[in-house]
Amino acid sequence: KSEKNLRDGLKVINTIREQQIASSANSQYETDQLDKCQWKVSIEVLNMIICSELMILSSIKREESRGAFFREEYPETDNKNWIKNITCRLVSGMPVLKTMPVRLNYCAPAKACKPD
């Protein structure tokens, strides 16, 4: 992952969101059972778009590589600054990301076994 690619992906997600919102606003679903299913799918798609946006924003915020998550600009794991969880939520329709420290009650990276 690179910041450029992540930001490009975010633009694509925003375009899809705009198209989906326009499509939903112009819909003429009736009240029969089939249309209720289509309306449900439309809502689910919007929720998937929001989740995608939050995942990309979280990936941009995390300035390190960890496990399968690899950032080109930050190839090293940064235990000093990034033993944190990133929490996401929408506030008035806008994404808000915060970091929270991880509770290391049972193990910590410094205690990990290293291969010989």
Side-chain angles (χ1 to χ4, degrees):
K1 295 176 180 138
S2 69
E3 184 165 350
K4 181 194 177 309
N5 289 344
L6 291 166
R7 292 203 181 276
D8 289 346
L10 196 56
K11 288 177 188 174
V12 171
I13 293 297
N14 288 329
T15 299
I16 294 169
R17 176 205 310 267
E18 291 169 12
Q19 292 169 348
Q20 184 65 23
I21 289 172
S23 174
S24 296
N26 295 327
S27 70
Q28 296 183 14
Y29 292 124
E30 298 295 330
T31 57
D32 67 37
Q33 193 61 37
L34 177 62
D35 286 340
K36 286 179 184 176
C37 289
Q38 291 171 334
W39 183 246
K40 177 182 167 259
V41 168
S42 179
I43 292 169
E44 288 173 347
V45 168
L46 285 172
N47 287 335
M48 287 187 273
I49 291 167
I50 291 168
C51 288
S52 299
E53 178 184 25
L54 294 174
M55 288 178 2
I56 292 171
L57 289 170
S58 296
S59 294
I60 291 169
K61 186 170 184 72
R62 184 167 290 278
E63 297 177 340
E64 70 155 356
S65 291
R66 183 169 297 272
F69 179 84
F70 181 82
R71 284 282 305 271
E72 288 179 8
E73 302 90 350
Y74 307 99
E76 301 298 321
T77 299
D78 181 358
N79 289 333
K80 180 180 177 189
N81 298 303
W82 277 103
I83 298 185
K84 299 176 184 178
N85 289 319
I86 299 173
T87 62
C88 309
R89 62 187 204 150
L90 292 178
V91 176
S92 300
M94 297 301 295
V96 175
L97 281 66
K98 293 183 179 181
T99 58
M100 298 177 58
V102 174
R103 293 183 188 154
L104 299 171
N105 297 336
Y106 303 105
C107 65
K111 297 178 185 177
C113 296
K114 295 182 180 178
D116 294 331

